[in-house]
Amino acid sequence: MSRKGWIITISSLIVIALAASAIYYTFPRNVEVRLTGIKYRLGEEGAKAGTEQATVFIKGKSRMTWKGKRIFRGEVGIVGEDIPVPEDQRRLTIHFDDKGMGAMSYAYFDYDRPGGTAHPRTYRYHTLFANKDYSEITLLLMMPRGGNTDTSSKWWSGEDGFMLSAPANNREEALVVSNQLMRKYLSQPGLERFRLQ
């Protein structure tokens, strides 16, 4: 084979390999996990308070974009937790940022009666940190401010906020999972020395 033939062959193989890699990288992966972990509160008061065992389920598809951003489409929930979103509208799209954080918000319709007027609603759920295969997760549990039941005023604080981390058997294991998954988030300016406790 001539030199020109070799160049064309090698160039073609490189293009095919790059195309195959790009397709593999962005191809959606099925995710179906059920993890048992610990629900706990941060801070000194949280350390004194008890913990609660909780189970998280995640079912859907996860993929990477060409720009390296992770997107999850599917369902995420805490077993036994009741939310106001109708069951047939609980499909989420979570866009993870470069720090690994994915905000969870439901956009849904509330009907005043069957076949009646549809009222668009938004329900701000929790914030998710997860490793690539979703075998380890941390949820920042968004809670109403000061007993307020209005879902638009939910909050989370790194000082005394509520967390759910899995898999974990106790508060110490849960904190290890949280600090590991949130290390990029916690290393941003102003939080460099911050560590969840």
Side-chain angles (χ1 to χ4, degrees):
M1 187 181 283
S2 70
R3 181 180 170 143
K4 186 176 179 182
W6 278 108
I7 291 173
I8 291 172
T9 302
I10 291 173
S11 297
S12 297
L13 290 174
I14 290 172
V15 168
I16 290 169
L18 288 173
S21 296
I23 290 168
Y24 177 78
Y25 180 72
T26 61
F27 193 78
R29 310 250 190 286
N30 287 326
V31 177
E32 189 166 353
V33 295
R34 192 173 185 90
L35 302 168
T36 300
I38 297 295
K39 191 185 288 189
Y40 62 100
R41 188 170 190 177
L42 297 171
E44 288 181 28
E45 292 298 316
K48 295 173 189 172
T51 61
E52 180 183 332
Q53 190 176 55
T55 301
V56 176
F57 63 89
I58 302 172
K59 183 177 182 178
K61 292 189 181 291
S62 183
R63 72 175 189 87
M64 300 296 285
T65 68
W66 293 99
K67 294 183 178 182
K69 301 289 185 183
R70 181 169 43 151
I71 299 173
F72 173 83
R73 285 188 173 90
E75 297 178 57
V76 178
I78 301 170
V79 173
E81 184 175 60
D82 189 33
I83 63 173
V85 181
E87 285 190 34
D88 63 338
Q89 298 181 60
R90 291 188 181 176
R91 189 163 173 79
L92 288 166
T93 297
I94 303 170
H95 295 266
F96 289 89
D97 68 12
D98 59 346
K99 310 248 184 317
M101 181 171 66
M104 299 166 59
S105 289
Y106 291 97
Y108 67 99
F109 291 100
D110 188 18
Y111 296 91
D112 53 6
R113 66 183 185 286
T117 306
H119 302 281
R121 304 273 189 246
T122 302
Y123 179 72
R124 187 173 175 200
Y125 198 37
H126 306 306
T127 300
L128 175 66
F129 288 83
N131 64 355
K132 287 187 180 190
D133 66 358
Y134 298 84
S135 63
E136 293 183 328
I137 63 98
T138 286
L139 289 169
L140 312 184
L141 303 177
M142 307 302 284
M143 306 300 277
R145 287 185 188 270
N148 186 353
T149 58
D150 178 19
T151 62
S152 64
S153 64
K154 288 183 159 190
W155 68 279
W156 180 84
S157 165
E159 293 178 11
D160 63 355
F162 288 88
M163 308 278 290
L164 193 164
S165 300
N169 294 308
N170 55 49
R171 189 175 192 279
E172 291 73 28
E173 288 179 12
L175 281 166
V176 169
V177 170
S178 296
N179 280 298
Q180 176 65 28
L181 293 174
M182 295 176 66
R183 76 178 175 280
K184 285 184 182 177
Y185 174 79
L186 296 172
S187 66
Q188 61 188 334
L191 296 175
E192 305 95 341
R193 294 188 177 96
F194 191 73
R195 185 168 172 84
L196 299 176
Q197 299 180 22

